[in-house]
């Protein structure tokens, strides 16, 4: 026999002496059956809790120390802390949407335009006198008469700002910008409305657009107030995005590390099982010299002695022409324990018996 195979067999026997639980591994079922057939007594299987004490052939010994706790990543709330001065920010108004006029379907006549212009002048006069409600009502009447004039919505938005109703002002400014996107006034008042709500980025964007379209000192002054806050939010968001990306990168790296460790552990277990199984199988196919891979098994570099006589046997040749028989033979050659599957197959067992007789081995 191959000295290497003998060494492996010795190592396997020694391992069984030191840890009899090896014999109760599922893949060692064929070996237990063989030992019991020889009259051997198999030690009882240990309970689950102690089955792997002192080392287990299916993997590294269990660790008794707990892994150190992983540092928890910062929560979104921690990363989202931002100190912004919200002085002057008010509660959002929740009134029902105001009358916006029939912008799409109303046909405006010259008389309606003239009347709308009169209402506008009266509203501006009332605004100058500080009568905000009267000014609001007059601007609304003007809008009903001529809903296609952007300045009417912008003027009414200015009244809403004075009345501390920023959401209503935003609705008017949106309509005014839809009608005339090149008018500076809607951007100015919408920017002020966003400032009242604490929408610093939106406020800075609208006020910058207002100054670009038509420079206004009032809009510029408010822009100087809100722009630093908007910049602070933008920078904080960039910082938060960087932290989020770094956290996701760490998580991906950890997943890859765990997957690699799991793969290596599985490989070690597989190698241990193969080593245990190879040592137990030792002589390979039952009744034949050499190992798996018949013919010409390990230990016979030149092939199995008497192979030429074997192949001249008409019964052997006939059996080897049967694909089912050869498939079964290869299956048993690779794993001798599989012979149990073919005990009731006369063709397969006849070939195995013939071969065992030819090589002087015990019949399975």
């Amino acid at each position: 026999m191959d000295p290497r195979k003998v060494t492996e067999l010795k190592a396997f026997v020694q391992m069984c002496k030191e840890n009899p639980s090896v014999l109760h591994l599922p893949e060692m079922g064929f070996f237990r059956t063989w030992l019991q057939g020889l009259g051997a007594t198999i030690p009882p299987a240990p309970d689950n809790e102690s089955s792997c004490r002192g080392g287990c052939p299916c993997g590294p010994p269990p660790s008794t120390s707990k892994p150190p706790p992983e540092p928890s990543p910062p929560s979104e709330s921690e990363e989202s802390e931002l100190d912004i001065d919200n002085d002057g920010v008010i509660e959002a108004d929740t009134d029902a949407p105001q009358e916006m006029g029939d912008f799409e379907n109303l046909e405006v006549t010259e008389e309606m335009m003239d009347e709308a212009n009169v209402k506008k002048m009266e509203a501006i006069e009332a605004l100058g006198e500080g009568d905000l409600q009267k000014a609001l009502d007059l601007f609304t009447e003007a809008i009903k008469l001529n809903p296609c004039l952007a300045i009417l919505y912008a003027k009414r938005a200015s009244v809403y700002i004075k009345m501390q109703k920023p959401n209503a002002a935003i609705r008017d400014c949106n309509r005014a910008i839809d009608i005339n996107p090149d008018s500076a006034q809607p951007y100015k008042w919408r920017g002020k409305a966003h400032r009242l709500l604490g929408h610093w980025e939106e406020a800075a964007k609208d006020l910058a657009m207002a100054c670009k379209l038509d420079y206004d000192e009032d809009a510029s002054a408010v822009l100087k107030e809100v722009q630093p806050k908007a910049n602070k939010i933008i920078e904080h968001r960039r910082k938060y995005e960087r932290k989020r990306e770094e956290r996701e990168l760490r998580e991906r790296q950890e997943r890859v590390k765990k997957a690699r460790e799991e793969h290596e552990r599985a490989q070690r277990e597989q190698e241990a099982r193969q080593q245990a199984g190879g040592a137990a199988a030792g002589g390979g196919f039952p009744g034949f010299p050499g190992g798996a891979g018949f013919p010409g098994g390990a230990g016979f570099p030149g092939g199995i002695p008497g192979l030429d006589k074997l192949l001249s046997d008409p019964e052997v040749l006939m059996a080897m022409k049967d694909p089912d028989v050869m498939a079964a033979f290869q299956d048993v050659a690779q794993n001798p324990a599989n012979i149990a599957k073919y005990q009731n197959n006369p063709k397969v067992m006849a070939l195995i018996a013939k071969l065992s007789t030819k090589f002087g081995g015990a019949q399975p």
Side-chain angles (χ1 to χ4, degrees), residues 152-352:
L152 295 178
Y153 296 97
K155 289 293 185 181
R156 190 171 67 172
S158 69
V159 179
Y160 279 126
I161 293 296
K162 294 180 182 296
M163 297 176 72
Q164 301 282 280
K165 294 185 176 182
N167 279 333
I170 290 174
R171 287 191 290 268
D172 271 352
C173 292
N174 289 342
R175 174 58 62 84
I177 292 171
D178 288 340
I179 297 172
N180 183 7
D182 296 324
S183 175
Q185 286 295 305
Y187 291 103
K188 171 185 174 179
W189 296 113
R190 192 171 69 176
K192 286 192 170 187
H194 282 305
R195 187 260 173 267
L196 288 176
L197 293 169
H199 302 163
W200 307 112
E201 291 178 273
E202 294 86 346
K205 182 178 178 181
D206 280 340
L207 291 166
M209 178 60 73
C211 291
K212 179 180 179 181
L213 293 172
D214 185 9
Y215 181 78
D216 181 283
E217 290 186 1
D218 183 29
S220 178
V222 181
L223 177 60
K224 290 178 181 179
E225 175 196 358
V226 303
Q227 189 67 68
K229 298 178 181 180
N231 292 342
K232 191 173 184 179
I233 293 173
I234 293 171
E235 179 58 31
H236 175 76
R237 185 183 299 113
R238 289 174 180 168
K239 181 179 178 181
Y240 170 74
E241 288 296 324
R242 286 195 298 270
K243 287 184 177 181
R244 182 181 60 80
E245 291 172 358
E246 291 171 358
R247 183 172 67 251
E248 291 177 352
L249 177 60
R250 288 195 302 270
E251 292 173 352
R252 285 197 298 270
Q253 290 173 341
E254 185 63 25
R255 288 195 297 269
V256 171
K257 179 182 176 182
K258 289 182 178 178
R260 185 182 298 114
E261 292 175 350
E262 180 65 21
H263 177 68
E264 292 174 354
R265 184 186 66 80
Q267 280 188 325
R268 289 195 298 270
E269 292 180 357
Q270 180 65 21
E271 290 171 359
R273 287 190 173 94
Q274 289 177 349
Q275 183 179 6
F285 190 87
F288 301 97
F294 176 86
F300 295 94
I304 297 177
L307 179 61
D308 53 345
K309 294 181 180 180
L310 173 67
L311 296 179
S312 64
D313 189 311
E315 294 182 8
V316 174
L317 289 176
M318 185 63 66
M320 287 185 174
K321 291 179 180 181
D322 189 325
D324 294 335
V325 173
M326 288 308 299
F329 182 73
Q330 290 295 331
D331 183 28
V332 175
Q334 293 174 3
N335 186 356
N338 290 340
I339 194 172
K341 297 191 299 184
Y342 305 102
Q343 292 290 336
N344 296 325
N345 189 322
K347 294 191 294 184
V348 174
M349 295 309 297
L351 175 62
I352 292 177

